[in-house]
Amino acid sequence: MHDAEEPQDAEGEPAVRQVGTRVVYENPWMLVREDDVERLDGSRGIYGVVDKPDFVLVIPLEGDGFHLVEEYRYPIGMRTWSFPQGTLPGRQDADPEELARLELAQETGLRAGTLKHLGFLHCSHGTSGQGFNVFVASDLRAGETDREIEEQDMRQKWFSMDEFKGLVREGRITDDSTLAAFALLTMDGSG
């Protein structure tokens, strides 16, 4: 997990502090806990938190576009395109660069000659501490995919920059992490 600083107000006091916790659900991919919290004014409440390991997101850059993956996303009931991304099974921690190379190869079959770290972002900071490292992969070589059983319906395709923007406008890219990574890429001057 990414180490985050304790939330604080202007004077350096934690804005909300944990006074108790209990696990309410757990499976191989996540842990859900309910924390008893105390706010700055002394009032008490609860906070539901989803604990998941940090993941990586890889932008496979080739020419004037990107390789994307598409799969059915059960929680939203539709197929969407996104940049390749993921974690290790069983909530294991992993070296971000090694994981980026693994996810890229597994999901697309591509191998990166060059991998550049763009930054670290949080994806749902209102419900989870989970974050993700963003990498740009270039000097790509084709190879075989090695997708997980949950990814058996996945497909991948190269899109130009204009086609990518069209997918966003059409609602075929709705993944916030993909869009945030794209913003990082354009701020870096690579996109």
Side-chain angles (χ1 to χ4, degrees), residues 51-64:
D51 283 331
K52 294 182 82 173
D54 291 341
F55 64 97
V56 296
L57 181 145
V58 183
I59 302 171
L61 184 62
E62 188 169 48
D64 70 338

Side-chain angles (χ1 to χ4, degrees), residues 25 35 40 45 49 53 55 62 68 73 86 96 101 104 119-120 122 126 132 142 145 152 155 165 178 182:
Y25 177 77
D35 291 350
L40 286 173
V49 179
F55 64 97
E62 188 169 48
L68 300 176
R73 293 296 187 169
R101 289 185 185 283
L104 177 66
F120 182 88
H122 287 103
F132 62 105
T145 62
Q152 61 187 283
R155 65 184 180 130
K165 291 175 182 177
T178 292
F182 179 72

Side-chain angles (χ1 to χ4, degrees), residues 34-161:
E34 184 176 273
D35 291 350
D36 295 315
V37 297
E38 183 177 81
R39 299 174 196 92
L40 286 173
D41 66 1
S43 62
R44 297 275 179 116
I46 60 170
Y47 209 106
V49 179
V50 178
D51 283 331
K52 294 182 82 173
D54 291 341
F55 64 97
V56 296
L57 181 145
V58 183
I59 302 171
L61 184 62
E62 188 169 48
D64 70 338
F66 318 102
H67 291 268
L68 300 176
V69 293
E70 184 202 48
E71 64 185 308
Y72 181 78
R73 293 296 187 169
Y74 178 78
I76 62 172
M78 61 188 276
R79 297 185 68 80
T80 60
W81 290 95
S82 65
F83 289 128
Q85 55 193 278
T87 62
L88 288 179
R91 298 192 324 248
Q92 298 175 65
D93 284 330
D95 173 73
E97 185 172 326
E98 289 176 22
L99 183 57
R101 289 185 185 283
L102 177 67
E103 287 296 325
L104 177 66
Q106 283 181 337
E107 294 187 5
T108 67
L110 298 170
R111 274 60 174 178
T114 304
L115 199 62
K116 177 184 176 184
H117 186 255
L118 286 185
F120 182 88
L121 300 168
H122 287 103
C123 50
S124 186
H125 63 250
T127 57
S128 179
Q130 184 183 42
F132 62 105
N133 283 285
V134 178
F135 291 89
V136 174
S138 56
D139 304 319
L140 303 173
R141 298 179 320 277
E144 293 296 316
T145 62
D146 184 23
R147 295 180 178 140
E148 297 172 6
I149 192 166
E150 295 86 4
E151 299 168 335
Q152 61 187 283
D153 71 319
M154 182 180 280
R155 65 184 180 130
Q156 71 114 8
K157 184 178 174 186
W158 181 89
F159 292 93
S160 71
M161 179 75 72

